[in-house]
Amino acid sequence: MDHPAYRLHRPAPGTELPMVLDSPHSGTDQPADWDTALDATERRGFEDCFVDALYANAPSLGATLLAARFPRLYIDPNRTLEDIDEAMLDAPWPGPVNPSPKTRLGFGLVARVMNERPVYARQLTVAEVQRRIATCWQPYHEALWRTLDETHARHGRLWHLNVHSMGDDAYKTLKLPEKPLADFVLGDLDGTTADEPTMALIEAVLRDHGYSVARNDPFKGVEIIRRSGRPAEGRRALQIEVKKSRYMDRATLQRHDGFDRLKVALDAMLAALAAHIRSHG
């Protein structure tokens, strides 16, 4: 199913498992009203480039895949509507404002800076941000929560993977003490949104394919899994971050030979999770 704000790919009838993936940051469609001060290469550097393609086989394994079409720099579906950076607006925000630590770093609901460069050469109007919410953020969230809730209602349980990529300079970007970054970071908000068997299974498959894996360091997960992950209700949710250099050239923003190898590992991870879900049917 295609919508101006997202693409929704479902498995073939009769093959559906209670497994949903969403890629909120891989959108590449350029909105006509987006007058960012950044050039095309700079804009793409902030995207989760090719993440939707990395997980494209998910429906063939029984999972539903939702992917945003709009760029995360335009508006970020992994932020709350209160995550407003009023410094970038030309008037006070009319609703509740509760900026997160990410907003204070410059990338809240609408990003103000990227790599310490201003995203805009002017202040945005309140109406502009409200329009982005109405045309992008809201439809994506409606599709996501409808899919998650319907899947849980049909099966009585749910595995939700919120999938992303991360720059090799993630610690620097987050203004944290720098150290080597794992190839994958699995985030479950410090053990609160998923169960240990799921986390251990995914970690083991990725390690078996030669990748290093960390948990909740430096990414724990943000608003989407905070809301969707309720293990006591059989709703498991985790955020998966993969290091961009493992599958693409950061300078040219093109895939390299590591892409196919990584896709094989991710397909194996999803197949193992599908088998785990069936065994607990």
Side-chain angles (χ1 to χ4, degrees):
M1 173 183 176
D2 270 8
H3 181 280
Y6 61 81
R7 291 185 175 90
L8 182 63
H9 307 277
R10 296 188 181 277
T15 68
E16 182 197 50
L17 292 171
M19 178 164 51
V20 177
L21 284 71
D22 87 289
S23 177
H25 291 162
S26 57
T28 59
D29 291 2
Q30 302 298 299
D33 65 346
W34 195 24
D35 64 340
T36 172
L38 304 177
D39 63 31
T41 300
E42 291 171 317
R43 293 197 300 269
R44 290 221 63 207
F46 201 61
E47 296 169 5
D48 284 352
C49 300
F50 310 118
V51 165
D52 51 348
L54 283 169
Y55 290 94
N57 289 342
S60 69
L61 296 167
T64 300
L65 173 63
L66 174 69
R69 299 181 65 165
F70 54 91
R72 66 180 294 196
L73 267 178
Y74 186 68
I75 190 166
D76 192 336
N78 206 18
R79 303 285 185 267
T80 72
L81 292 181
E82 298 181 1
D83 211 344
I84 298 292
D85 190 340
E86 287 194 295
M88 67 186 303
L89 300 179
D90 69 350
W93 185 251
V97 175
N98 184 23
S100 70
K102 296 289 180 65
T103 301
R104 288 186 277 275
L105 291 172
F107 33 98
L109 180 66
V110 177
R112 176 173 47 83
V113 299
M114 191 196 82
N115 295 331
E116 301 184 356
R117 285 202 59 198
V119 178
Y120 302 94
R122 61 175 179 85
Q123 290 184 304
L124 301 184
T125 68
V126 168
E128 281 180 285
V129 177
Q130 290 173 327
R131 184 167 60 250
R132 296 180 189 192
I133 291 171
T135 59
C136 296
W137 192 98
Q138 198 70 49
Y140 186 86
H141 275 255
E142 288 173 355
L144 175 60
W145 303 115
R146 181 172 61 249
T147 301
L148 293 176
D149 291 344
E150 289 176 352
T151 302
H152 183 259
R154 277 195 298 272
H155 298 273
R157 59 216 176 101
L158 173 69
W159 280 260
H160 172 206
L161 309 182
N162 178 239
V163 294
H164 299 263
S165 64
M166 56 186 177
D168 291 43
D169 57 352
Y171 287 102
K172 180 181 178 180
T173 300
L174 296 170
K175 300 191 184 306
L176 296 172
E178 295 186 47
K179 60 181 178 179
L181 180 68
D183 297 323
F184 281 90
V185 176
L186 308 181
D188 62 355
L189 289 171
D190 292 322
T192 63
T193 66
D195 62 315
E196 178 57 27
T198 297
M199 297 291 285
L201 173 69
I202 290 175
E203 185 172 3
V205 174
L206 296 174
R207 288 188 187 279
D208 285 347
H209 280 77
Y211 295 101
S212 58
V213 184
R215 295 195 194 184
N216 298 297
D217 180 17
F219 298 102
K220 300 177 184 293
V222 199
E223 297 308 324
I224 287 178
I225 70 161
R226 188 189 309 279
R227 177 176 169 186
S228 71
R230 303 193 292 275
E233 300 173 26
R235 302 176 69 126
R236 305 156 184 86
L238 66 146
Q239 178 176 290
I240 301 178
E241 298 267 5
V242 59
K243 191 159 60 176
K244 288 183 178 181
S245 62
R246 277 304 200 172
Y247 68 91
M248 63 177 283
D249 186 306
R250 292 297 305 279
T252 65
L253 299 180
Q254 298 298 314
R255 306 176 188 182
H256 58 49
D257 292 345
F259 182 92
D260 291 336
R261 178 190 166 214
L262 179 61
K263 200 168 187 298
V264 168
L266 292 174
D267 286 348
M269 178 196 80
L270 294 176
L273 182 57
H276 172 76
I277 291 170
R278 291 190 185 96
S279 72
H280 289 74

